[in-house]
Amino acid sequence: MRLTDEEVQSLLQEMEDWKLLEERWIARKYLFQDDLQEIEFVRKISDISEEVNHHPFISIDYKFITVKISSQRAKGLTKLDFELAKKYDEAYEKIKAG
C-alpha cells in the first residue's frame, strides 16, 4: 500500500542520508574506498532484495554506489521500500566495519 506524503516525510526523518526524489523514490549514495567492498555491497543488496522480490536501481560510479527504491505497483513508496533501505544501511555498516 502506497504511503501518504506525511508518512514518507516521517519515515525519511528516521533515515540518515536518504533523500526523496521526484516524490516517488528514495535514494542514497554509499561511499567506498575499496572496489571489492563495492562488489560485496551490491551482492548483499541483491540477496536482500531477492528474498522479498523487490529490487532497487543500482548505479556504480567511482567510489560510490547509488541506490534508488520505489514500488512500481504502488506507484510510489511503501513500507517495504523503507524496510529495505534500513537493511541496505545495515549491510553497508557491516561491510565498512570489515
Side-chain angles (χ1 to χ4, degrees):
M1 187 164 121
R2 184 177 173 177
L3 298 172
T4 66
D5 292 342
E6 293 80 20
E7 290 170 319
V8 168
Q9 289 302 324
S10 177
L11 288 168
L12 268 177
Q13 289 177 357
E14 301 170 14
M15 307 287 296
E16 188 173 327
D17 299 319
W18 285 87
K19 307 289 182 226
L20 182 64
L21 301 176
E22 301 169 17
E23 298 179 11
R24 183 175 176 201
W25 302 86
I26 54 173
R28 178 175 176 189
K29 283 187 177 185
Y30 295 92
L31 174 64
F32 292 89
Q33 298 299 320
D34 181 320
D35 291 341
L36 294 177
Q37 285 183 333
E38 287 179 330
I39 293 167
E40 181 182 354
F41 182 61
V42 170
R43 284 187 184 149
K44 187 61 179 167
I45 285 176
S46 297
D47 291 343
I48 292 166
S49 301
E50 192 62 29
E51 288 176 12
V52 294
N53 193 31
H54 191 69
H55 302 89
F57 286 85
I58 301 170
S59 296
I60 301 171
D61 299 303
Y62 180 71
K63 297 195 181 218
F64 287 99
I65 303 288
T66 303
V67 178
K68 277 179 41 174
I69 310 171
S70 185
S71 294
Q72 293 180 4
R73 287 186 184 163
K75 296 181 180 162
L77 294 162
T78 66
K79 286 184 182 181
L80 179 58
D81 298 309
F82 285 91
E83 290 167 6
L84 286 174
K86 287 180 183 179
K87 289 181 180 182
Y88 300 159
D89 287 351
E90 290 169 5
Y92 175 71
E93 292 303 324
K94 285 180 186 175
I95 290 168
K96 291 296 286 183

